[in-house]
Structure formats: structure tokens, C-alpha cells
């Protein structure tokens, strides 16, 4: 933890800087790029029935889009107005009216024909719904009957046979905390959250490397750092407000480096709409791009460190920060031995980066006084995600890029407030204020006044799989209580996921809208409960940004869905119905009471109890975690972690595939065409040379397949590393294997080997066993 406090927002320079312009043509006319003014007008039109309320949300509430933490239209990084299309797209979720009765009464098969985008546009869930086996449509049910059905089922179950899950759809810390407490009160540790499929490896790796699972720095540290390195992160697309920070960094002379298999155009140049100069002429962002193979990041980082160690042999002190390492770091000798055992041929072939290019980055970092490393799904969504992040931490520790201004490790969050999910205890591995160790469990039990179960809870993927266990198994999932989320469009292998969902006795979907998962059958019943948004939450709520800023978002006056209820109140109601004799132990009357208890249960959050009005905020841990190199570990030092280079089982002529995002917010798609590269949702992004070798022309129908599934799309040529292809997520999940999880954090694997063929060639094969024979050539990946 650190003593230095965040110093507040800074001004942008006013004088133009033509050398940074992306184009001399005003507004980038003729270029493939987002059209922000047009998009904003469209959002205004979509919200025309509720414009005053929409305005109050934007000017008074904390953003419920990504986790950059914009409160109203301002943040703690730069002065001025901040507004992005991601936030504007999400806005309609809060202002739209309830679903029309005629749509709710539609046959379930008709509803299933709608995409999740079309389901979303139907409107808000107006009242509790239920659908039992044999019923072709939802029917209305009272809140009391719905809650009694859920409670009665829970009473009859071993707590190991029910589970909770919460997404990050505008979820506040108060909701996360209450759900974490209610789950343990009801006797289960089967509780998980959306970070399991995004940044769970980041938290796990940072904890073992530097002792704390959060960003160690601020967005302000981007502005003026020598090097700002984005690893597997397309922040310009997923966190558009961040482009203002990149612009400010460029104006301070920062070099921006992108490491990604695909040379993403969004990170190359961007037209920042709220900066006049950039809105007119655009801004060049990335100074250099390293196109690493999918899954080749560890080999690349080994190569950088190998260069450093070789530089040290020739000229001691030329690459490593020996003073910092001596005082603040463990494990140098073991790491050096591990790194040096790999030869350059292996490092180059696995990473896809030449020895010479690795040396360029190694020298840049060695000659820099400061650097900030930012990463996202490109590093975490692997079966070796935790090791990926540990390698990033190794780079920072070897150079001393930790615990001071313009330095740090930042897992940039794509969900508003998801940083708080684990910190509030909505996680099978942690409780508020720490892990599930006996000391922390006892501390929290003293606050909660009830015993916390000692058995290990399951992660979301395992909970789903447990639905297929024999009926007599003690962990057979019989009831799944879901607060948001759409597993059909977020988890690998949607057919398998649907099979799991259908084998659960009772599924509860607490949400504001319908999605495709809501429409899947259940063995006994599907119950749908209408929830309030964060702006409707009685007593307001708080959310934690990527940089550990805890913001207060007030309840905002506006129209309401009459029967929608505050999410934390629903959990309390359920708990009191299941255990009425102990209801006094699980009672909250007001959101302020929850914040008061959070301050006790999660010591880092001491200060949350004082957040009461619009604009209130604080940053836990200070401006920089591990300030001056002192880490919250047992000995106060950071740990260098030795990591094996993972085996990528792809033979000659096959491809490695990963998923990417387009014009969307998480799984919610807002446009069928990507504004940065004009790719449609069914396009397969591939290297032109690879395509030519297969006789594929741009626009040709092609088939991507393996032992897990088949994807039919169109070839789209983009500058992606040879041997790699990208499919949009969630559409591409059909070729991703289920049941492959990262060893330490449990994140699903979202990358795999595939075969790519022209569609006419594939379907022309007379041998019906052709595909099976081709798939046999693929080496099975380790499970």
C-alpha cells in the first residue's frame, strides 16, 4: 500500500501538435473509422422518449460501461468532459420502457428466433415471470410466490447443490457484498462473478508476484511515462475514453507500444471526439507494434529477459535495476536460470517475433526510466493466463517499474465496478478483506456472526458442468441463481452450455432484460426476476474502477419499472425466507448500512462509509500500491516467478484461433460491422498470404473447424500474424473447447487449433468422413 494520494486531474495542452495527426483531411473523411457525431445523434434518437432522464444519468451517475470510472462527465485523470460511445450505447438499458405484454406472451419458440440484440430491444422485464416444463410461454407470477418457490427449493437442497453468479451489468459494491454474505449465510461457497472469464488470472498473478490483486498505478501515470505498453489489449475499442489519456501521453512524449497478433487499427490512430484537434485530424497512437503469435507471449517475454541477461554479461547494470532488485525482489537466480535455458530458435518460433525485434523492445525498456504495462483478455483468456501475467510482473520487477510515478502494472477492466466483485467476496476463493484462510474466515465470521462454510466453492464453469452429475452426487447442481449474465454467449461451446442449463432443476434469472440464456428450458422451472439498474438503487451505490477509485453513484430521479426491485434487497428477502429463525443476522434496511459494514469487513475499503452524495470518492491503497518497492507480501518483497513456455499444439498447415470484440460491449452487440476495419460479424480475420496458400480470395465463404465445432464465415484479409486467425466473440465460441480451465484462476481457455478451408472445397468432399479424418490430424490439446 502507499501513502501518496492521487493528485487529481490535469489539463490537456491547447496548442495543436501536427506531427501527431493521423490525417490532414478533416474528420478523417474517406477513412474506415467510427463516426462519433452520427453515433451520438443515433443514441439521442433512441432515447428520445426519456431524454431528461438520460441526461441526468450521464451528468450525475457513475458510468456503467467500462471501468475507467467516469463520474458524471468527469474523471480524476484529465480535466474536461469525457463521454464515449460505449457508455452511450449502454444508456438505453436504463431508459427504455418495459417489454410490451404482447411480446411477453409470445410463444417461447418465437422468442428463441430473436437474437440477444433483438431481445434486448424489447425492453425491461416488467414483473416476475415463470415457465415450467410443457409451457410454451412465460406467465406472470407474484414476487411472493416466486421467492417462496426459490426458498422452498433451497431449503430442500444440500448447499453444495446450489450456486450463485453475478455479472457486472451495472452491479454495485453493495450488491456484490450482500450476495457474498447471503451465499455464505445460506451455507454455500458456490458463488462466482464475471471476472472469472476476464481478469481472474490478473488478480491471481499479481497476488503471487507483488502481494495485491489490483492495478498498482493510475491512468495519470500513463501521461509522462517513457513507455506505455498495451499487451493483448485494444483499449481504444473496449475503453474508448482511454484514447484521451493516450493522446495526453503522446503530448508528453510517451512511446506507446502495442503487442497483439493483429495490428489493430483502433490502436494505430483514433479520432478523439472531445478533443477538437483530434476530432478533426485524428491522433497517431501506437509508435510500434509487435505481432506476437496467439499464445506466444511468454516466449516473447522470455526473449526480452534473455536479452537483458545477455546485456548484463557484457555490461553489468545496462539492463537490470540492481538496486531495486537487491532491496525489493526475490528469485533472480532461479528466473535467470529458467530464461537462459531456452534457445533463440525456440523463442522465435513460439513467439513469432525475431531475436532482433525482441532486442529492440528489450533496449527500449532497458533505457527507460519509467513504464506502465497495461493488459487485457489477450493475456488472460488462456489456459496459462496467470503465467502470462506473472511474466509481465517479472519485467516490471527487473526494471523497478513499480511503486512510483509513471510506473506500474494495470489490468484494464472492461466492466464497470467488476474490480469490486472479488474484493466484496462474491468469489469462491475469497472473502471481504482477504482469502478463505482460517484467519480471515474467523475475522469475517466475527463481523457476520455466523459460520462460513469451509469447503471449496466451484467456479462458474465447473458449476455448469455439475448440472450433468448423477442425481445422487452431493455437488449435482440443482438450482442456479444468476444475476445477469448470458452463458450461451460468454462461455465456450454454447451447445454444451445449453445442455448444462437444461439439466438444472430450477434456474433464476435476476436481470433487467431478457437474453438467449433466459429462454432455455429447465427441469422444474425458469424464474425471471426484474431488477433495478444502479441508478435506481435505493440509497445509491458505489463502484470500483480499474485504478481502485471507489465512486458514489446516487439514486437518480426518473421513471421506474413498477415491480423491479433493488438487487441487494432481493438477496436479503431470499435469505430471510430460507432461514427465518436467523433473519436478524442478515438484515440491511438501507444501502448506508451495507457501506458501514463493508468498511469493517474489507479494511481497504475503510472510507466507503463516508460516500453519500454525488461526486464522493476515494482511492483505496493510495496513488501507487507497493510504493517505494515495498510489497504487501510476507517479507515485503516482490517475487519473480519462473514460468515454462507453454506448448502450442498446432501442426503445419493449421491455424491458431482467438476471439476478438467488434462494435459491442462485452456480449452485447451494437452493430454488425466493426467501425475500425469494416469487418462483419461473420468475417474470419486472416493473413492474406495464408489465404493465398489455401486458394482463398477475400470474401470467399470458408469453414473453420476442429474436434469441438464448426464455424462458417467469410474471409477478411487483415494484418494479423501468419498462422493466426481471429473470430468475433461470442460467435466464434463454437470452436472453443469446454472444460479447459487455467490451473490457478480457473478462467476458460478461449484459444485453440483449427483447420481453415474454402467452403466449396470442404462441402465437395464425397467422403462423409472427410472432416473427421482432417480433425484427427489435430493434436488434442491438454485438458
Amino acid at each position: 500500500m502507499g501513502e501518496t494520494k492521487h493528485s487529481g486531474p490535469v489539463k490537456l495542452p491547447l496548442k495543436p501538435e501536427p506531427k501527431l495527426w493521423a490525417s490532414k483531411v478533416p474528420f478523417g473523411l474517406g477513412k474506415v473509422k467510427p463516426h462519433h457525431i452520427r453515433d451520438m445523434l443515433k443514441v439521442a434518437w433512441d432515447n428520445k422518449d426519456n431524454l431528461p432522464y438520460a441526461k441526468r444519468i450521464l451528468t450525475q451517475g457513475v458510468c456503467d460501461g467500462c471501468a475507467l470510472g467516469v463520474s458524471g462527465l468527469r474523471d480524476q485523470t484529465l480535466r474536461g468532459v469525457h463521454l464515449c460511445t460505449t457508455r452511450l450505447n449502454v444508456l438505453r438499458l436504463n431508459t427504455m420502457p418495459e417489454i410490451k405484454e404482447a411480446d411477453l406472451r409470445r410463444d417461447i419458440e418465437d422468442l428463441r428466433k430473436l437474437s440477444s440484440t433483438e431481445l434486448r430491444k424489447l425492453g425491461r422485464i416488467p414483473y416476475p415471470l415463470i415457465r415450467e416444463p410443457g409451457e410454451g410461454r412465460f406467465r406472470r407470477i407474484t414476487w411472493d410466490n416466486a421467492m417462496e418457490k426459490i426458498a422452498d427449493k433451497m431449503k430442500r437442497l444440500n448447499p453444495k447443490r446450489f450456486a450463485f453468479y453475478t455479472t457486472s451489468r451495472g452491479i454495485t459494491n453493495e450488491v456484490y457484498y450482500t450476495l457474498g454474505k447471503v451465499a455464505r449465510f445460506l451455507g454455500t461457497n458456490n458463488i462466482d462473478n464475471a471476472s472469472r472469464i476476464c481478469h481472474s488470472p490478473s488478480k491471481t498473478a499479481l497476488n503471487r508476484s507483488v502481494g495485491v490483486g489490483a492495478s498498482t498505478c493510475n491512468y495519470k501515470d500513463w501521461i509522462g511515462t517513457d513507455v506505455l505498453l498495451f499487451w493483448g489489449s485494444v483499449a481504444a475499442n473496449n475503453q474508448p475514453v482511454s484514447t484521451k489519456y493516450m493522446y495526453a501521453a503522446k503530448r508528453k512524449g510517451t512511446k506507446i507500444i502495442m503487442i497483439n497478433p493483429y495490428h489493430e487499427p483502433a490502436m494505430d490512430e483514433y479520432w478523439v471526439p472531445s478533443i477538437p484537434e483530434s476530432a478533426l485530424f485524428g491522433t497517431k497512437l501506437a509508435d510500434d507494434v509487435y505481432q506476437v503469435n496467439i499464445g506466444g507471449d511468454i516466449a516473447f517475454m522470455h526473449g526480452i529477459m534473455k536479452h537483458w541477461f545477455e546485456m548484463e554479461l557484457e555490461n553489468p547494470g545496462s539492463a537490470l535495476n540492481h538496486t531495486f532488485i537487491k532491496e525489493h525482489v526475490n528469485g533472480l537466480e532461479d528466473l535467470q536460470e529458467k530464461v537462459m535455458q531456452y534457445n533463440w530458435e525456440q523463442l522465435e518460433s513460439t513467439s513469432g517475433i525475431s531475436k532482433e525485434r525482441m532486442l529492440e523492445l528489450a533496449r527500449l525498456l532497458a533505457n527507460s526510466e519509467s513504464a506502465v504495462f497495461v493488459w487485457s483478455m489477450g493475456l488472460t483468456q488462456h489456459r496459462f493466463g496467470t503465467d502470462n501475467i506473472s511474466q509481465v510482473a517479472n519485467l516490471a520487477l527487473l526494471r523497478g517499474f513499480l511503486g512510483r510515478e509513471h510506473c506500474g502494472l494495470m489490468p484494464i477492466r472492461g466492466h464497470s465496478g467488476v474490480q469490486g466483485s472479488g474484493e466484496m467476496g462474491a468469489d469462491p476463493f475469497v472473502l471481504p478483506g482477504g482469502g478463505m484462510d482460517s484467519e480471515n474466515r474467523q475475522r469475517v465470521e466475527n463481523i457476520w456472526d455466523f459460520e462460513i462454510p469451509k469447503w471449496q466453492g466451484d467456479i462458474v464453469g465447473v458449476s455448469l458442468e455439475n448440472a450433468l452429475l448423477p442425481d445422487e452426487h452431493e455437488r449435482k447442481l440443482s438450482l442456479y441463481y444468476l444475476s445477469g449474465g448470458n452463458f450461451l454467449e460468454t462461455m465456450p461451446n454454447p451447445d454444451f452450455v445449453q445442455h448444462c442449463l437444461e439439466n438444472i432443476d430450477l434456474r433464476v434469472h435476476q436481470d433487467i432484460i431478457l437474453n438467449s440464456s433466459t429462454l432455455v428450458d429447465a427441469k422444474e422451472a425458469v424464474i425471471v426476476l426484474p431488477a433495478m439498474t444502479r441508478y435506481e438503487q435505493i440509497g445509491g451505490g458505489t463502484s470500483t474502477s480499474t485504478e481502485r477509485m471507489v465512486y458514489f453513484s446516487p439514486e437518480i430521479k426518473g421513471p421506474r419499472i413498477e415491480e423491479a426491485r433493488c438487487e441487494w434487497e432481493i438477496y436479503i428477502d431470499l435469505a430471510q425466507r430460507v432461514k427465518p429463525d436467523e433473519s436478524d443476522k442478515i438484515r440491511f434496511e438501507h444501502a448506508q448500512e451495507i457501506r458501514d459494514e463493508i468498511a469493517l469487513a474489507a479494511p481497504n475499503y475503510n472510507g466507503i462509509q463516508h460516500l453519500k452524495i454525488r461526486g464522493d470518492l476515494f482511492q483505496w491503497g493510495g496513488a501507487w500500491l507497493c510504493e517505494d518497492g515495498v510489497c504487501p507480501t510476507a517479507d515485503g518483497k516482490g517475487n519473480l516467478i519462473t514460468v515454462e513456455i507453454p506448448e502450442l499444439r498446432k501442426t503445419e498447415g493449421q491455424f491458431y484461433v482467438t476471439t476478438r470484440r467488434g462494435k459491442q460491449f462485452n456480449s452485447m452487440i451494437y452493430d454488425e460491422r466493426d467501425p475500425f476495419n469494416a469487418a462483419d460479424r461473420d468475417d474470419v480475420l486472416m493473413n492474406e498470404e495464408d489465404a493465398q496458400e489455401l486458394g482463398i480470395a477475400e470474401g470467399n465463404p470458408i469453414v473453420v473447424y476442429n474436434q469441438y465445432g464448426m464455424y462458417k464465415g467469410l474471409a477478411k484479409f487483415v494484418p494479423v500474424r501468419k498462422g493466426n486467425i481471429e473470430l468475433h466473440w461470442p460467435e466464434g465460441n463454437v470452436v472453443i473447447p469446454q472444460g479447459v480451465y487455467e490451473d490457478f484462476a480457473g478462467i476458460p481457455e478461449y484459444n485453440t487449433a483449427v483447420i481453415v478451408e474454402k467452403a466449396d472445397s470442404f462441402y465437395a468432399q464425397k467422403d462423409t468422413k472427410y472432416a473427421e479424418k482432417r480433425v484427427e490430424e489435430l493434436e488434442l490439446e491438454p485438458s
Side-chain angles (χ1 to χ4, degrees), residues 651 654 705-707 755 769-780:
T651 60
Q654 296 164 0
Y705 64 100
N706 59 14
Q707 61 266 49
I755 299 167
K769 297 291 186 180
Y770 171 74
E772 293 178 20
K773 292 177 180 178
R774 291 285 282 126
V775 164
E776 287 176 3
E777 299 171 13
L778 287 169
E779 290 187 280
L780 293 177

Side-chain angles (χ1 to χ4, degrees), residues 196-197 382-384 459-465 491-492 496 737-749 782-783:
R196 184 65 50 212
I197 57 175
H382 291 268
R383 66 178 186 272
F384 40 82
I459 58 174
V460 54
V462 174
S463 286
L464 282 169
E465 292 172 9
M491 296 295 287
F496 175 78
Q738 90 275 358
V740 180
Y741 305 111
E742 198 266 351
D743 287 341
F744 302 98
I747 194 170
E749 167 74 281
S783 60

Side-chain angles (χ1 to χ4, degrees), residues 403-419:
R404 56 188 173 91
E405 188 177 21
H406 299 144
C407 293
L409 298 162
M410 179 177 284
I412 191 167
R413 294 284 194 171
H415 266 143
S416 174
V418 72
Q419 178 66 38

Side-chain angles (χ1 to χ4, degrees), residues 438-492:
S438 58
E439 182 179 353
N440 192 54
R441 184 188 292 110
Q442 182 62 58
R443 184 187 65 82
V444 177
E445 285 179 346
N446 292 339
I447 296 170
W448 286 353
D449 193 28
F450 59 79
E451 187 174 334
I452 296 168
K454 294 179 173 59
W455 49 273
Q456 177 58 55
D458 291 323
I459 58 174
V460 54
V462 174
S463 286
L464 282 169
E465 292 172 9
N466 286 351
L468 304 181
L469 290 172
D471 288 341
E472 63 275 11
H473 197 287
E474 71 167 359
R475 291 221 181 207
K476 162 79 172 179
L477 183 66
S478 300
L479 187 156
Y480 210 171
Y481 196 118
L482 309 166
S483 297
N486 184 358
F487 294 147
L488 281 184
E489 299 186 14
T490 54
M491 296 295 287

Side-chain angles (χ1 to χ4, degrees), residues 233-277:
S233 171
V234 190
N237 187 36
N238 299 317
Q239 297 93 1
V241 172
S242 69
T243 56
K244 291 190 73 169
Y245 311 157
M246 292 184 226
Y247 170 89
K250 297 289 289 186
R251 294 299 302 266
K252 284 279 192 179
T254 295
K255 287 187 179 298
I256 296 180
I257 307 296
M258 175 170 64
I259 301 173
N260 205 58
Y262 174 28
H263 189 143
E264 287 277 359
M267 293 294 290
D268 230 8
E269 50 190 32
Y270 197 93
W271 280 254
V272 185
S274 55
I275 300 175
E277 175 192 19

Side-chain angles (χ1 to χ4, degrees), residues 680-691:
D680 292 326
R681 298 294 305 186
D682 62 349
D683 281 341
V684 178
L685 306 186
M686 63 186 307
N687 184 287
E688 185 173 1
E689 290 183 36
D690 284 333

Side-chain angles (χ1 to χ4, degrees), residues 270-532:
Y270 197 93
W271 280 254
V272 185
S274 55
I275 300 175
E277 175 192 19
S278 185
L280 276 171
F281 303 111
T283 302
K284 298 175 185 175
L285 296 179
D287 292 279
D288 202 354
V289 180
Y290 291 82
Q291 292 185 252
V292 67
N293 278 328
I294 296 165
D297 306 280
I298 288 175
F300 185 20
M301 287 183 265
H302 269 85
I304 294 170
M305 291 186 288
K306 186 176 177 72
H307 274 305
W308 284 351
F309 290 131
E310 290 182 351
M311 291 163 64
E312 285 291 322
L313 291 175
E314 294 182 13
N315 184 11
S318 61
L320 305 184
N321 186 333
H322 290 284
T323 301
F324 184 88
I325 293 171
K326 182 179 179 180
E327 295 178 1
H328 303 295
V329 179
N330 297 316
L332 178 62
E333 293 77 13
D334 289 344
L335 179 65
Q336 182 168 352
E337 181 181 353
K338 172 61 67 177
V339 168
M340 298 304 285
Q341 78 181 30
Y342 291 105
N343 60 53
W344 284 112
E345 182 181 3
Q346 182 178 2
L347 296 176
E348 287 182 315
S349 63
T350 303
S351 69
I353 308 294
S354 70
K355 176 182 177 181
E356 292 72 27
R357 285 285 281 153
M358 292 186 207
L359 180 59
E360 290 178 21
L361 185 54
R363 283 177 173 166
L364 174 63
L365 294 172
N367 293 325
S368 298
E369 292 297 319
S370 58
V372 176
F373 298 107
V374 181
W375 67 89
S376 195
M377 307 301 94
L379 284 191
T380 60
Q381 288 186 329
H382 291 268
R383 66 178 186 272
F384 40 82
T386 296
D387 285 347
N388 274 340
I389 313 309
S390 293
Q391 284 286 85
V392 179
N394 285 347
L395 296 178
L397 289 170
L398 289 173
R399 289 291 304 136
F401 296 150
L402 185 71
R404 56 188 173 91
E405 188 177 21
H406 299 144
C407 293
L409 298 162
M410 179 177 284
I412 191 167
R413 294 284 194 171
H415 266 143
S416 174
V418 72
Q419 178 66 38
S421 58
E423 293 166 351
M424 295 297 101
D427 186 293
F429 302 111
V430 300
L431 293 168
M436 292 288 287
D437 56 279
S438 58
E439 182 179 353
N440 192 54
R441 184 188 292 110
Q442 182 62 58
R443 184 187 65 82
V444 177
E445 285 179 346
N446 292 339
I447 296 170
W448 286 353
D449 193 28
F450 59 79
E451 187 174 334
I452 296 168
K454 294 179 173 59
W455 49 273
Q456 177 58 55
D458 291 323
I459 58 174
V460 54
V462 174
S463 286
L464 282 169
E465 292 172 9
N466 286 351
L468 304 181
L469 290 172
D471 288 341
E472 63 275 11
H473 197 287
E474 71 167 359
R475 291 221 181 207
K476 162 79 172 179
L477 183 66
S478 300
L479 187 156
Y480 210 171
Y481 196 118
L482 309 166
S483 297
N486 184 358
F487 294 147
L488 281 184
E489 299 186 14
T490 54
M491 296 295 287
N493 197 330
D495 288 343
F496 175 78
V497 171
Q498 178 167 338
H499 183 48
C500 294
L501 292 174
E502 289 172 338
N503 274 275
I504 299 170
D505 291 349
L506 176 61
R507 261 191 1 262
V508 182
H509 294 266
Q510 181 175 300
D511 213 331
I512 60 175
I513 56 173
L514 297 176
N515 64 49
S516 54
S517 290
T518 324
L519 309 181
V520 174
D521 292 337
K523 292 170 72 174
E524 293 179 6
V526 176
I527 293 177
V528 181
L529 302 176
M532 287 181 171

Side-chain angles (χ1 to χ4, degrees), residues 95-101 103-104 121-127 512 560-563:
T95 66
M96 61 187 176
E98 62 187 40
I99 302 173
K100 295 178 181 178
E101 184 70 22
D103 285 322
L104 275 180
K121 291 180 178 179
L122 292 179
R124 295 273 300 275
I125 299 168
Y127 42 72
I512 60 175
R560 295 290 187 264
I561 303 298
E562 185 176 355
E563 290 199 43

